[in-house]
Amino acid sequence: GHLDEDVFEKRYGFLDDVQEAEIAKLKKRVSAWKTTGNKGQKARKKLGLTQGNDTFENDQEELTRLIQEVAERKKANLVRAAKRTVKKKLREDVASGKGVYYPKRSELRKMELEAKFEEIRKRGGDEAVDKAIAKRRKKNVAKSHKLMPSHMVK
């Protein structure tokens, strides 16, 4: 069948809260592992980390994985929201009597990019947009340098 990601988000949104709680717990565990001396020993004992096969490395890996997962989900939500605004705009144009319009792929991409930056502006303001554009520019420069023959890059 067809996966409607918006419906999925609504139905299983509580899992985000569970995951946030798990991240907080893992942060406490990693902090207890890092703390040395008597204070660290007490913290580990309080969390039940003294016996068993739990290790600092395992907890650190799990924490990193969960944080990456949350970041990826936020990024996907941002892209989905941008696509939603583009589709909404096209629907409104049709409803206002402009007729059916099928944009080219490049136009769609451009509109989605604009919508994405608009979403970023809503959440973090102009500084966030500037930061995102700078990051994108840096990525493109690195990409172009990588594609150039080595004797041309200086």
Side-chain angles (χ1 to χ4, degrees), residues 25-89:
K25 181 180 142 191
L26 276 170
K27 280 183 179 178
K28 281 183 184 174
R29 287 174 66 121
V30 167
S31 140
W33 282 114
K34 282 183 179 178
T35 309
T36 57
N38 210 13
K39 195 175 182 181
Q41 222 170 14
K42 282 183 183 176
R44 284 190 292 278
K45 191 173 184 182
K46 188 178 178 184
L47 292 171
L49 300 176
T50 50
Q51 73 278 4
N53 57 358
D54 294 332
T55 63
F56 169 71
E57 290 80 20
N58 291 346
D59 287 345
Q60 186 70 40
E61 283 177 23
E62 184 69 10
L63 180 64
T64 306
R65 185 186 67 77
L66 287 176
I67 289 173
Q68 274 183 335
E69 215 172 87
V70 168
E72 284 173 13
R73 193 176 325 107
K74 282 182 181 176
K75 190 175 178 183
N77 285 343
L78 191 72
V79 170
R80 214 170 30 254
K83 284 186 178 184
R84 201 178 307 120
T85 53
V86 167
K87 284 183 182 178
K88 187 178 178 184
K89 184 179 176 288

